[in-house]
Amino acid sequence: MKLSALTVATALSLLPTIPQAIETEKIQLPDMGDSSGALISPIEEQEFGASFFRNLHSQTEISQDLEIQQYIQSIGRQLVAHSDNPSTPFHFFVVMDPNINAFAGPGGYIGVNSGLILLTEAESELASVMAHEIGHVTQRHLYRQIEAASKMSIPTVAATLAAILIGTQSPRMGQAALMAVQAGSVQFQINFTRDNEKEADRVGMQTLADASFDPRSMPTFFERLQQSTRYYGKGVPEFLRTHPVSESRIADTRGRAETYPYRQYPDSMGYLLTKAKLYALTMHDRAAALKHFSALEQQGTNEQRDVARYGIGLIHLKNLQYQAAGEIFEQLTAKYPNQPHYISALARTAMENHEADKADRLFAKAIQNFPSNDAIKIEYTRFLLKIAKPEQARQVLQSLSDDQKERPFYYQTLAEIHAGLNQPAESHRYMAEHYFAGGQTDNAILQIRLAKQVKNLNYQMQAILDERLNFFLSELEEMKNKR
């Protein structure tokens, strides 16, 4: 399948802007698709998206934390269920980058930077950006922009798109992709992109309100962004450079948002806990982080104060202060027995403090209380590997939901399990899948070749390794030839 070349404007169309408000009645927008109606099939679209996601892994850090992943997926699904095309497949993920940014890629892959999540002050503000990006996908803006004459393969287009998106955050990494742009066509494409943005704004506002988030969060969030530009100087975030916030646009958005009935929109515990964990993970100055959480512990509701204590516990855990962390997580687990984050943190603290029996009891209890929680399952799997129980770890890992079984961490964990079971061919095979899922096809080929060197391989394993090696080689060759 062939696709056309991408331009800088393609990347611009995928980044969020200041959402426009809409009328409260349902807007019925046509499914415009691409001009031919047959540019890309659903199967090809998913292949394109998967290739794009693999390339993103090779160029930036995608969060592999399942608690963070489960939250961003849950809010995304809530929005998609109220979008104008709820049957569209979506994949939401968090990019561990302090820049204020978010983007929509092919195949319904929507990324949100950790920096943007931490900047929000309410869950509805985060939802407003995600709803806008969902609008880009459901209205097929990407595929309307890649119908030019120059043709490229799926792997090449996916790699180029990933490079452009990451290039907005790291100019050095994106420079090669940007050099391919034909200057004469840029202005037309940017004008077309502005139309896309307006459409995504309207669809996003409607989705936001229908999903029971606050429409007023849009102008509130972007007004705060506008006010913050005076402090950035030349280092204005890409989000603000590509999508300037005008007074008139904020005023229009606010006026239309006011047509919705006013009510309270409390933040979910998932939002509060995710922000706390992201802050603890990304804040390198641990003394400043403790000061931040200590200040939050003195304000807000009881739940908000307890989330701040959770953040303090996470910082203690990073500082290897296991007793202090354990005491906090023990108290929170007793107070909130239905909150999986707290018992998971307590079990992880025991594991890292080499309290194997205590960790085993806590993980077993957590699995019993939250049998469908993938984040707890992967933590338990890692613990079982740590105490040399690879077969039990394999059984727990296999119980993960299907949407987690194509991520790099899953294949890496499988590789570790088979290494523990003294099955080197299987271990190298799954390490190959780990590298491929992370966009490192060269390393995937190396792992397959190492697997093929293992003695006494049976016919079935030989066939599997041969098939994967041929596939990886063809992917690599196609990208090299089409660049």
Side-chain angles (χ1 to χ4, degrees), residues 222-239:
F222 290 104
E223 185 174 44
R224 189 164 67 253
L225 277 178
Q226 183 200 43
Q227 292 171 350
S228 71
T229 58
R230 70 191 69 175
Y231 303 111
Y232 283 110
K234 294 183 179 180
V236 176
E238 184 66 27
F239 185 100

Side-chain angles (χ1 to χ4, degrees), residues 412-426:
Q412 183 177 24
T413 307
L414 263 181
E416 293 173 8
I417 287 171
H418 285 286
L421 293 171
N422 195 27
Q423 298 171 343
E426 289 280 12

Side-chain angles (χ1 to χ4, degrees), residues 376-437:
I376 292 175
K377 290 178 182 178
I378 194 64
E379 289 283 3
Y380 190 31
T381 300
R382 289 166 179 160
F383 166 72
L384 291 169
L385 284 171
K386 192 172 184 178
I387 62 172
K389 292 185 177 180
E391 178 55 34
Q392 192 175 344
R394 186 188 65 81
Q395 294 173 15
V396 175
L397 189 70
Q398 290 302 319
S399 69
L400 287 178
S401 57
D402 289 341
D403 60 352
Q404 305 298 346
K405 293 183 178 179
E406 295 182 358
R407 289 182 167 270
F409 78 85
Y410 173 77
Y411 294 118
Q412 183 177 24
T413 307
L414 263 181
E416 293 173 8
I417 287 171
H418 285 286
L421 293 171
N422 195 27
Q423 298 171 343
E426 289 280 12
S427 182
H428 286 303
R429 169 197 172 188
Y430 287 116
M431 276 305 295
E433 300 298 345
H434 160 72
Y435 282 123
F436 182 66

Side-chain angles (χ1 to χ4, degrees), residues 16-63:
T17 59
I18 301 78
Q20 295 273 20
I22 60 166
E23 305 297 337
T24 55
E25 65 267 15
K26 186 74 173 177
I27 293 177
Q28 298 296 333
L29 293 172
D31 182 10
M32 298 182 68
D34 54 85
S35 61
S36 67
L39 174 64
I40 184 169
S41 72
I43 293 177
E44 290 168 334
E45 185 171 350
Q46 289 306 302
E47 181 185 351
F48 187 12
S51 182
F52 163 77
F53 195 44
R54 286 195 299 272
N55 278 280
L56 273 183
H57 277 89
S58 69
Q59 299 186 49
T60 192
E61 181 184 357
I62 307 297
S63 174

Side-chain angles (χ1 to χ4, degrees), residues 209-228:
D210 290 349
S212 298
F213 290 104
D214 186 4
R216 293 165 179 80
S217 65
M218 288 185 170
T220 298
F221 182 53
F222 290 104
E223 185 174 44
R224 189 164 67 253
L225 277 178
Q226 183 200 43
Q227 292 171 350
S228 71

Side-chain angles (χ1 to χ4, degrees), residues 76-270:
R77 288 178 182 134
Q78 183 177 345
L79 290 164
V80 169
H82 294 86
S83 70
D84 61 318
N85 193 352
S87 63
T88 301
F90 280 89
H91 310 268
F92 300 91
F93 57 95
V94 173
V95 178
M96 300 300 286
D97 190 295
N99 289 287
I100 303 165
N101 212 352
F103 53 87
Y109 283 85
I110 292 181
V112 184
N113 279 19
S114 58
L116 186 143
I117 296 174
L118 290 173
L119 183 71
T120 63
E121 294 183 1
E123 188 170 36
S124 288
E125 293 180 358
L126 171 59
S128 71
V129 175
M130 294 177 66
H132 174 91
E133 299 306 323
I134 289 169
H136 274 309
V137 175
T138 59
Q139 295 308 299
R140 298 183 64 77
H141 291 156
L142 173 61
Y143 301 108
R144 284 191 255 163
Q145 292 228 19
I146 58 176
E147 293 182 274
S150 178
K151 293 183 178 181
M152 300 167 69
S153 66
I154 284 179
T156 307
V157 173
T160 305
L161 176 56
I164 292 173
L165 286 168
I166 300 306
T168 64
Q169 299 174 155
S170 176
R172 180 183 59 82
M173 296 178 68
Q175 185 176 11
L178 300 181
M179 288 176 63
V181 176
Q182 296 297 320
S185 65
V186 169
Q187 186 58 49
F188 169 78
Q189 291 286 352
I190 290 177
N191 290 338
F192 183 55
T193 296
R194 288 168 183 160
D195 291 337
N196 289 347
E197 294 296 338
K198 291 178 182 179
E199 188 175 56
D201 288 347
R202 298 198 312 271
V203 175
M205 171 70 86
Q206 181 173 291
T207 297
L208 190 70
D210 290 349
S212 298
F213 290 104
D214 186 4
R216 293 165 179 80
S217 65
M218 288 185 170
T220 298
F221 182 53
F222 290 104
E223 185 174 44
R224 189 164 67 253
L225 277 178
Q226 183 200 43
Q227 292 171 350
S228 71
T229 58
R230 70 191 69 175
Y231 303 111
Y232 283 110
K234 294 183 179 180
V236 176
E238 184 66 27
F239 185 100
L240 298 175
R241 288 198 298 268
T242 56
H243 307 287
V245 184
S246 67
E247 294 285 355
S248 61
R249 198 167 187 186
I250 290 176
D252 182 61
T253 304
R254 187 176 298 281
R256 291 179 179 271
E258 290 297 332
T259 64
Y260 291 92
Y262 178 81
R263 67 179 181 85
Q264 294 292 323
Y265 296 86
D267 296 328
S268 71
M269 280 293 285

